[in-house]
């Protein structure tokens, strides 16, 4: 089980993590939450359904990683499509941010529960609902790191995979690959 998720009886998945892995995952998830930003809580006495009709931003984020997490719906090839993307963003980005925030918080909480439960490494056991949150958070972490590393679909040379240990990008490349392996094994455990 070390380093990869395995299915557990009754649904869900489990993975053995050591102290360092727990710390790295938690740190990355917290950084992701900081990047996404805080949510807006309804004011006391405000109708909770009002948040469903709150308009979000109409322009894409300037940060490339956020732009990757919150992409344009229709591209930006012409003015008409940009207008549709703007409208789509206004009515969907707040919900998308909220879901991404929930996924990150669920990851942090499950890792915190591991740390408080014992010394050193532990086996993380996820319910099917936890798995969904973890898949979302792992995906968002990989998208963010991949954007920062400028990984593209066209990069088939594997240049990043052959970086010397002295390259300052090496730790992030290793994290990117590790998160990909975790994500892949989690997906495999959930497939029938």
């Amino acid at each position: 089980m070390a380093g990869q998720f395995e299915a557990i009886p009754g649904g869900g998945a489990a993975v053995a993590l050591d102290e360092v892995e727990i710390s790295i995952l938690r740190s990355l998830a917290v950084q992701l939450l900081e990047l996404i930003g805080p949510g807006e809580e309804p004011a006391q006495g405000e109708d909770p359904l009002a948040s469903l009709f709150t308009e979000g931003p109409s322009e894409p984020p300037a940060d490339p990683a956020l732009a990757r997490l919150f992409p344009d719906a229709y591209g930006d090839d012409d003015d008409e499509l940009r207008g549709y993307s703007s409208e789509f963003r206004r009515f969907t980005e707040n919900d998308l941010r909220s879901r991404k925030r929930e996924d990150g918080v669920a990851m942090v909480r499950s890792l915190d529960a591991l740390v408080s439960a014992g010394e050193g490494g532990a086996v993380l056991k996820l319910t099917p609902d936890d798995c969904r949150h973890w898949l979302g958070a792992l995906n968002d972490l990989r998208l963010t790191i991949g954007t920062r590393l400028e990984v593209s679909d066209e990069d088939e040379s594997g240049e990043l995979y052959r970086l010397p240990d002295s390259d300052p990008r090496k730790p992030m490349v290793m994290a990117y690959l590790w998160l990909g392996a975790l994500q892949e094994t989690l997906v495999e455990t959930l497939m029938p």
Side-chain angles (χ1 to χ4, degrees):
M1 180 183 307
Q4 64 182 18
F5 279 98
E6 293 182 8
I8 56 176
V15 63
L17 299 170
D18 64 31
E19 286 179 78
V20 173
E21 292 168 328
I22 293 168
S23 176
I24 291 170
L25 281 168
R26 188 183 190 290
S27 175
L28 290 172
V30 167
Q31 290 176 57
L32 178 66
L33 288 168
E34 290 171 356
L35 179 67
I36 292 169
E40 294 184 19
E41 297 294 322
Q44 190 166 354
E46 182 179 323
D47 180 5
L49 293 177
S51 66
L52 293 175
F53 301 103
T54 302
E55 292 184 14
S58 60
E59 295 297 318
D63 182 320
L66 282 174
R68 183 69 176 104
L69 292 174
F70 305 106
D72 275 335
Y74 301 103
D76 60 0
D77 294 340
D78 67 35
D79 289 337
E80 185 176 354
L81 291 179
R82 266 193 299 276
Y84 291 142
S85 285
S86 176
E87 288 298 302
F88 185 81
R89 180 177 301 282
R90 274 186 31 209
F91 294 107
T92 62
E93 186 170 316
N94 285 344
D95 287 340
L96 186 55
R97 277 184 187 269
S98 178
R99 185 185 55 78
K100 290 178 181 301
R101 204 174 292 107
E102 287 173 16
D103 292 344
V105 167
M107 178 181 268
V108 169
R109 284 184 179 153
S110 60
L111 292 167
D112 285 350
L114 269 185
V115 171
S116 66
E119 298 286 323
V123 175
L124 173 69
K125 293 182 181 177
L126 302 175
T127 66
D129 194 45
D130 293 335
C131 289
R132 183 187 61 76
H133 288 298
W134 268 71
L135 279 174
L138 287 170
N139 187 62
D140 291 343
L141 286 170
R142 289 193 73 241
L143 287 173
T144 301
I145 293 170
T147 301
R148 297 285 192 238
L149 291 170
E150 298 179 350
V151 173
S152 69
D153 293 336
E154 293 81 37
D155 180 28
E156 297 193 22
S157 66
E159 177 185 325
L160 286 176
Y161 304 111
R162 294 188 300 274
L163 290 176
D165 290 343
S166 60
D167 191 301
R169 298 174 294 170
K170 183 75 173 207
M172 290 312 295
V173 169
M174 299 306 294
Y176 178 77
L177 296 173
W178 176 54
L179 292 169
L182 283 176
Q183 184 180 22
E184 182 179 350
T185 61
L186 183 53
V187 167
E188 288 172 358
T189 65
L190 300 176
M191 295 177 76

